[in-house]
Amino acid sequence: MKPTMRGSTMRTSAVAIALASLGAALTACAVGPSTRVAPPEYPVAARTDSAMSPAAQAFLDSLGAAREKGAEPSGGVVTRPDSVRRADTTARALPVPLMINTTHELAWLDVLRDSQLVALVDTAVANNRDLRTAEARVREYRALYGVARSGLFPQLSANGTASKNKVAFGPNVVTFDAVRITGDLAWELDFWGRLRRQAQAGHFDLLATQEDERATALTLVSDVATAYLQLRELDADLAIAQQTLASRQTTLALARQRFKQGLISELDVRQFEADLADPAARVAQFAMQRVQQENALALLLGRQPSPIPRGASLEHAVRAVSVPDSIPGALIARRPDVMSAQRRLQAATARIGVAIGDRLPTITIGGSYGAQRPDFSGLFDRSGELYTAQVGISVPIFTGGRLLDQERAARAVADEARGQYEQTVLTALGEASDALASVRLNRDALVAQATQVQALQRALGLAEERYRSGIASYLDVLDAQRGLFSAQLALVQVQRQYLVSTVDLYRALGGSWEMPGAR
């Protein structure tokens, strides 16, 4: 008696369920070394040394204390705190996800207290082509991860054929037509965990690409902030040059008036005229550099060259910044380049398991169910029913050393990835230490430079007063003017360097100088 279609289907389903249960039981292990990566050692747990003698540090601290008690001249005040300062934006500090959310406001920018800079960063994140490329690469690797893990599941397909056949059996020749429609199942049992290692490798590749995207975003943000601070420095330089030019024009007018009165010689007038040329030339120079810097910043923003809106001044940003004097070295573990190197090491380690699994027997199960008839009529009658259920095993016996060399190559790639990971960690530690030292020492330099500007401002006022009274010569005024002009430009430069070092510290620590859960 022929089995019915319903009975055959039930038997086929029972076989498939039994084989699936066997496959699930056989995937309890995975060949190859563990993909777990031990956290790196952080020899620099905290950096608090200032790389200068105690006497020099005491002197700088006294300058800051003295300036806090007195009047604050133009240029801002930066004092060295006695205790570790904490950024005032820790409640909204940049999180450390596997992939940065590029639409999320980067809260660390609040440290600089410049809403216009935040708007520029948002524009750059939305428009920058490099970031778009990185986002597309993440989508690519997410799809490749789906491809890698698809081998863990049964592969089902529907197939149909129509053929005209002629078969010879000795002197007998048989011709026949056949129409065949089947549903086919193929499933490789992950007995050794080879397919799971392959899926793990794809997953780690995706995570590494996400970290690359985060690194691109962090670099973009820091580049925009640095370019904007350079632009604000040129704004300040131009303003100082224009103010100095106006001041020297006033002094020249006074000298000409005194020359007409016979109080001074023509030499005094000519010296003041010659000294006027320096700030005049600097005005043109700074104006040209400012236009070039605006164009460079527009490129980072992903738009055509155009004027850049301004926000707070450098002096305002310097007053607002609060950076800790020491950091735990463990913070560098969340840097995107460190995380990316770690994920690539894990992917390479997982592929060792894939190479080992290729050398072991492969067990597959398969099945087919459908119908075959000479033509399309009655194709789905029970008389045309057909099905198969099978289990197969494939054992590699001789491959000319190919599989063994593939395993050796996978182990070598993992060793390369480990070396790159360890080197990345060392580089990150060095950059973080450099950035923290730069913040601290630029802050000390800023105190000294601001004190110099204050002293030279008072000296210029005294020299001009003495010159009007006929007590001092024009040389005293010229020296005071030149000294103040150079000191003011130097102060603006140090202000920019201090703020840029803050940006560098942000980048060196992967987005924030706060430990997760520190508050």
Side-chain angles (χ1 to χ4, degrees), residues 395-472:
V395 182
I397 297 176
F398 178 74
T399 61
R402 175 176 58 86
L403 297 180
L404 179 60
D405 285 337
Q406 285 179 350
E407 180 184 342
R408 290 169 177 168
R411 292 185 182 277
V413 170
D415 290 340
E416 294 174 14
R418 181 172 297 279
Q420 292 173 353
Y421 169 64
E422 292 172 352
Q423 183 61 39
T424 301
V425 170
L426 292 175
T427 301
L429 283 170
E431 290 179 355
S433 180
D434 289 345
L436 183 60
S438 180
V439 169
R440 183 172 53 250
L441 297 176
N442 276 320
R443 186 168 57 204
D444 291 340
L446 191 51
V447 171
Q449 194 64 46
T451 302
Q452 183 187 35
V453 169
Q454 181 184 32
L456 289 174
Q457 285 175 333
R458 294 173 179 172
L460 177 58
L462 292 174
E464 289 176 340
E465 183 178 348
R466 287 167 61 86
Y467 180 71
R468 291 189 187 96
S469 303
I471 299 175

Side-chain angles (χ1 to χ4, degrees), residues 41-296:
E41 297 293 332
Y42 305 106
V44 186
R47 285 297 302 269
T48 57
D49 57 301
S50 63
M52 67 174 60
S53 67
Q57 187 62 67
F59 175 71
L60 286 171
D61 291 343
S62 67
L63 287 180
R67 284 170 48 74
E68 279 187 325
K69 294 179 180 178
E72 298 176 1
S74 176
V77 176
V78 178
T79 59
R80 182 180 178 85
D82 296 329
S83 59
V84 174
R85 290 189 176 184
R86 301 172 68 88
D88 57 358
T89 57
T90 54
R92 299 192 301 119
L94 180 66
V96 191
L98 292 177
M99 180 175 64
I100 188 171
N101 183 359
T102 54
T103 61
H104 186 275
E105 181 185 358
L106 301 179
W108 82 275
L109 292 172
D110 290 345
V111 174
L112 300 179
R113 302 287 179 86
D114 193 329
S115 58
Q116 188 58 55
L117 174 57
V118 174
L120 293 175
V121 167
D122 289 340
T123 300
V125 167
N127 298 332
N128 187 264
R129 272 51 174 184
D130 291 338
L131 189 55
R132 289 182 182 178
T133 301
E135 292 170 349
R137 190 172 295 113
V138 169
R139 296 196 300 271
E140 173 192 355
Y141 275 83
R142 184 176 289 113
L144 291 176
Y145 169 51
V147 173
R149 65 192 300 266
S150 64
L152 294 170
F153 303 98
Q155 308 297 303
L156 298 173
S157 61
N159 300 283
T161 60
S163 63
K164 181 177 289 292
N165 307 275
K166 181 177 181 179
V167 181
F169 297 96
N172 300 320
V173 177
V174 179
T175 61
F176 63 94
D177 297 334
V179 176
R180 180 187 180 101
I181 296 179
T182 60
D184 300 315
L185 165 70
W187 189 12
E188 177 182 343
L189 299 182
D190 195 18
F191 190 87
W192 315 108
R194 181 183 68 86
L195 298 178
R196 280 193 296 153
R197 290 300 193 199
Q198 180 175 294
Q200 280 182 346
H203 185 225
F204 288 132
D205 283 339
L206 171 60
L207 297 182
T209 307
Q210 289 176 337
E211 293 299 334
D212 290 341
E213 180 197 7
R214 190 162 73 94
T216 301
L218 294 179
T219 300
L220 173 63
V221 171
S222 59
D223 287 347
V224 170
T226 299
Y228 178 77
L229 293 173
Q230 291 173 342
L231 180 60
R232 297 304 285 143
E233 178 191 9
L234 290 171
D235 289 338
D237 287 340
L238 182 58
I240 291 171
Q242 290 173 337
Q243 293 171 1
T244 302
L245 179 60
S247 175
R248 293 189 185 182
Q249 286 175 333
T250 301
T251 305
L252 176 60
L254 175 62
R256 287 172 175 171
Q257 180 181 2
R258 298 192 67 198
F259 172 68
K260 290 179 181 180
Q261 296 172 351
L263 299 177
I264 60 174
S265 66
E266 184 180 356
L267 177 61
D268 293 17
V269 177
R270 300 308 177 195
Q271 288 288 349
F272 282 120
E273 288 177 347
D275 203 52
L276 189 65
D278 183 29
R282 294 291 189 96
V283 167
Q285 178 184 2
F286 291 142
M288 178 187 65
Q289 292 176 352
R290 189 171 67 169
V291 172
Q292 294 173 342
Q293 187 63 28
E294 282 186 321
N295 293 340

